[in-house]
Amino acid sequence: MKLNLQPRFLKRSRYLVAVLLRALLSIAIVSGIATAQGGALDKSEPKGISVQEVIKRFAAKEKEFKEARDQYTYRQDVKVIVPGVETPDPEYRQVFDVSFDDKGHRIKNVVFAPQPTIERGGIAMSEEDIDDIENRLPFVLTSDEIGEYDILYVGQQKQDELSTYVFDVTPKQIVGKKRYFQGRIWVDDHDFQIVETYGKTVPDIRKKKGQENLFPKFTTWREQIDGQYWFPTYTRAEDTLKFTIGDIKIREIIKYTNYRRFGSKSRITYEGQEVKKAEPNTDQKPPQPEKPQ
């Protein structure tokens, strides 16, 4: 998120600072990584399999998943708000369908995009924000990318009914303008696929003349689609961005719905077997986008 230093915002700065000071007094700064539904962390080594083999298996499965997801259409509903500054909360909202044209090229079709008001909250959406929302918040760590990260095994943990291996992931180095993920992932111990992600995209961007582009910590949950792969279905970010001139609280809610395998000639495989295309439900009407709340 970039600071919005428009004249209108500058006139409101004293009010915003007062709001932020009140918010700072009421917010407890919590370090470390945790999830609400997670069980106790068991730091013992995996049984019957080495840590390196777990990493090798889930990286291979993530590559399969990435290729499979590229053959699915879906709807993405994005809401970004700055809570507590004014009523209603300043927000950015967009609903779009990811599908394919008649030549099989992936396309984005915006179906709902009201005029954004988020700049009244003192920030603006940047190109990097949009790119992260569309391509990086559903974080995928494949065998092609795994060499770019340091991966530390931290234990095993129950996530609802799932048993998972837990890893901390950090980029080995920042190369050029490329963006990376830094945080924690939970890998299902049966399917060897990422089922939950917590962290942020890095690096934050701080330039001369006060130009800052900061990014919130987020959690992405996945669900199993078509009985095979775990697809991202919900992302939530609740964070305080620490700009030089002051802190701004941000909230993001991103939903991924209506996954449908595209009717192309390509084959999707899972453990060496072709994944059969789900039969379409001709009675189901396409979902309508929600109205802003």
Side-chain angles (χ1 to χ4, degrees), residues 212-230:
E212 297 174 290
N213 195 358
L214 310 184
F215 305 92
K217 295 184 288 295
F218 65 89
T219 303
T220 295
W221 291 268
R222 295 191 192 180
E223 295 181 29
Q224 200 171 51
I225 303 294
D226 287 347
Q228 305 290 349
Y229 295 103
W230 291 79

Side-chain angles (χ1 to χ4, degrees), residues 270-290:
Y270 178 81
E271 296 184 339
Q273 302 295 319
E274 182 178 1
V275 177
K276 299 298 183 181
K277 181 183 177 184
E279 292 296 327
N281 183 358
T282 57
D283 297 329
Q284 184 177 0
K285 297 181 179 179
Q288 299 298 316
E290 297 178 3

